Amino acid sequence: MTNPTAAMLVIGDEILSGRTRDSNMHYLAGELTRIGIRLAEVRVVPDDSAAIVAGVNALRTAYDTVFTSGGIGPTHDDITADSIAAAFGVPISHRADAMALLAAHYDRQGLPFNEARQRMARIPEGARLIDNPVSIAPGFSLGNVHVMAGVPTIFQAMVASVLPGLTGGPPLLSQTLRVMRGEGEIAADFGALAAAFPELQMGSYPFSLNGAYGTNLVIRGTDPARLDAAMTRLCRLFA
Amino acid sequence: MTNPTAAMLVIGDEILSGRTRDSNMHYLAGELTRIGIRLAEVRVVPDDSAAIVAGVNALRTAYDTVFTSGGIGPTHDDITADSIAAAFGVPISHRADAMALLAAHYDRQGLPFNEARQRMARIPEGARLIDNPVSIAPGFSLGNVHVMAGVPTIFQAMVASVLPGLTGGPPLLSQTLRVMRGEGEIAADFGALAAAFPELQMGSYPFSLNGAYGTNLVIRGTDPARLDAAMTRLCRLFA
């Protein structure tokens, strides 16, 4: 049994210009790993329709599920919904259920439901809305693409809405052994161990602490018995 | 005069599994913006040769310069150098100058220059070495691709070695106005302003603070006079 794959398309000039540090990728990676979906690729593209269309079309054909973040607000630079519609070749318009949600929200707040705010009800034909408990304006799912806000609190709420509807695979387990030895010292034995367990992934991540070199040795896989067996041998080698 | 473009290929299972939060992308984005190079795309791929080859070949033909991070250490999972050689279709072997650098380094430390450590001297034919003042094992540049370590301190030192050799464009300037109004309230006027300055990029980034909505309005461009003119009008609208 293999794990389903996912990709993420981060849409945002603010990430590429260095103004903002993306945090959604790290959050999504952790959530997907937890439910046994393998995040296989992430792309970050600017607020540019051609780049979004090319990115989403490349990813949605290559992977089981795609998540996008960013560009679904009320301002002129929010072009994600239109770009997704273009990528799928479907029309986009103000949708009645999204309009109703937003109209009620702004009514409760005593704020005008103006043209800019109505823009957030523009949804490509055939999409399903993604609930936004934080600020109401919905995301949407079209085919295997889930289109979500870039603001981290809203992104996280939308991920929580979408994940229960996805089929995960066996849990992606990992175990880590931290050793105070440099990578060059453990490489031969660690490589031999990795070769003995081809169904597991083994990675080494060096660090330095107070001038001394250390390495985190990480073993990943889905078979708990094999993972334990490898970890036992790893500990015998280095711990 | 336009700005040169760059892309980044982040290589690492540890990022995609959610184990590690990437920080090199944000660092590189800031450094490139500072010297007038536009970071136009970032891709994150796993420790998989086919994925690295496909990523680097797509990016090096589409953009002026490509930076990679990760996978150039001594362990079995460090496959970046071989993958770059494969992407360019050139041989790779232990190079004499890199071997000499590393041999002297481990000799000074009183550590054996073993086979694993010698792996870090494997450099694709035709590459130029990138200096690594932190831990000696060099990165390399091949064509328009700069191959660097993933450990942030080393990545940053290698960026510092590479950037002076690149030709930047006019500075990518930005100014920000922070207003305590929601995006839906400022969208119409901000959009009209953006339309009046087509040579500038304008973006709005919402936040909430103590339950109130605010928006950062960012104007980016390379012409200081136009940027000032737009900022003056922006302040007149909202400040």
Side-chain angles (χ1 to χ4, degrees):
Chain A
M1 188 174 166
T2 58
N3 293 88
T5 57
M8 180 181 187
L9 187 69
V10 178
I11 296 156
D13 285 351
E14 75 278 20
I15 308 293
L16 292 169
S17 71
R19 185 185 167 276
T20 301
R21 189 186 293 265
D22 172 69
S23 63
N24 293 329
M25 174 169 78
H26 181 66
Y27 178 80
L28 182 66
E31 291 297 293
L32 291 175
T33 296
R34 208 173 45 74
I35 62 168
I37 294 178
R38 201 179 290 278
L39 181 61
E41 183 170 348
V42 178
R43 295 191 189 182
V44 188
V45 296
D47 300 340
D48 173 81
S49 184
I52 299 169
V53 168
V56 81
N57 279 339
L59 296 176
R60 73 188 174 98
T61 51
Y63 303 104
D64 297 322
T65 306
V66 176
F67 299 84
T68 78
S69 68
I72 61 167
T75 52
H76 69 276
D77 57 326
D78 291 307
I79 59 169
T80 298
D82 284 89
S83 303
I84 299 292
F88 278 83
V90 299
I92 181 169
S93 60
H94 291 83
R95 206 165 96 168
D97 54 356
M99 286 290 279
L101 280 171
L102 287 162
H105 170 64
Y106 288 109
D107 187 53
R108 278 192 303 275
Q109 298 207 318
L111 292 171
F113 187 35
N114 60 22
E115 192 182 326
R117 290 175 174 134
Q118 290 177 29
R119 257 191 106 217
M120 294 188 286
R122 297 183 76 246
I123 305 288
E125 200 169 293
R128 306 166 308 282
L129 299 187
I130 300 174
D131 193 34
N132 171 0
V134 179
S135 60
I136 307 306
F140 61 86
S141 301
L142 185 58
N144 62 341
V145 179
H146 305 282
V147 175
M148 308 192 289
V151 174
T153 50
I154 307 176
F155 179 82
Q156 292 173 21
M158 289 183 173
V159 168
S161 299
V162 168
L163 290 193
L166 299 179
T167 303
L172 295 162
L173 308 169
S174 81
Q175 294 204 36
T176 301
L177 179 69
R178 186 170 175 276
V179 298
M180 287 312 297
R181 310 189 196 192
E183 278 194 298
E185 197 181 325
I186 55 84
D189 287 337
F190 190 51
L193 186 67
F197 290 84
E199 75 281 32
L200 303 177
Q201 293 84 50
M202 301 198 192
S204 77
Y205 305 103
F207 61 87
S208 71
L209 185 69
N210 304 328
Y213 292 111
T215 307
N216 283 307
L217 301 171
V218 179
I219 306 183
R220 298 186 193 87
T222 53
D223 181 337
R226 293 298 284 162
L227 205 73
D228 281 348
M231 200 63 192
T232 301
R233 284 181 53 180
L234 188 67
C235 290
R236 213 173 290 148
L237 282 169
F238 301 124
Chain B
M1 187 174 166
T2 58
N3 293 87
T5 57
M8 180 180 187
L9 187 69
V10 177
I11 296 155
D13 285 351
E14 74 278 20
I15 309 292
L16 292 170
S17 70
R19 186 185 167 277
T20 302
R21 188 186 292 268
D22 171 70
S23 63
N24 293 330
M25 174 169 79
H26 182 67
Y27 178 81
L28 182 65
E31 291 297 293
L32 291 175
T33 296
R34 207 173 45 73
I35 63 168
I37 293 178
R38 198 178 293 276
L39 181 60
E41 183 169 349
V42 178
R43 295 190 190 183
V44 187
V45 297
D47 300 341
D48 172 83
S49 185
I52 299 169
V53 169
V56 80
N57 279 340
L59 296 176
R60 73 189 175 98
T61 51
Y63 304 104
D64 296 323
T65 305
V66 177
F67 299 84
T68 78
S69 68
I72 61 167
T75 53
H76 69 276
D77 57 326
D78 291 307
I79 59 169
T80 298
D82 285 88
S83 303
I84 299 291
F88 279 83
V90 300
I92 181 168
S93 60
H94 291 84
R95 206 165 96 168
D97 53 357
M99 286 290 279
L101 280 172
L102 287 161
H105 170 65
Y106 289 109
D107 188 52
R108 277 192 303 274
Q109 298 207 317
L111 293 171
F113 186 36
N114 59 22
E115 192 182 326
R117 290 174 174 134
Q118 290 176 31
R119 258 191 106 218
M120 295 188 285
R122 297 183 76 246
I123 305 287
E125 199 170 294
R128 307 166 307 282
L129 300 186
I130 299 175
D131 193 35
N132 171 0
V134 179
S135 60
I136 307 305
F140 60 84
S141 302
L142 185 58
N144 61 340
V145 179
H146 305 283
V147 176
M148 308 192 289
V151 175
T153 50
I154 307 175
F155 179 83
Q156 291 173 21
M158 288 184 174
V159 169
S161 299
V162 168
L163 290 193
L166 299 179
T167 303
L172 294 163
L173 307 169
S174 81
Q175 294 204 36
T176 300
L177 179 68
R178 185 169 173 277
V179 298
M180 287 312 296
R181 310 189 199 193
E183 278 193 299
E185 196 181 327
I186 55 84
D189 287 338
F190 189 51
L193 187 67
F197 290 84
E199 75 280 34
L200 303 177
Q201 294 84 49
M202 301 198 192
S204 77
Y205 306 103
F207 61 87
S208 71
L209 185 69
N210 305 328
Y213 291 111
T215 308
N216 282 307
L217 301 171
V218 179
I219 307 182
R220 298 186 192 88
T222 53
D223 181 336
R226 294 297 285 162
L227 206 73
D228 282 348
M231 200 64 192
T232 301
R233 284 182 52 182
L234 188 67
C235 291
R236 214 173 289 148
L237 283 169
F238 299 123

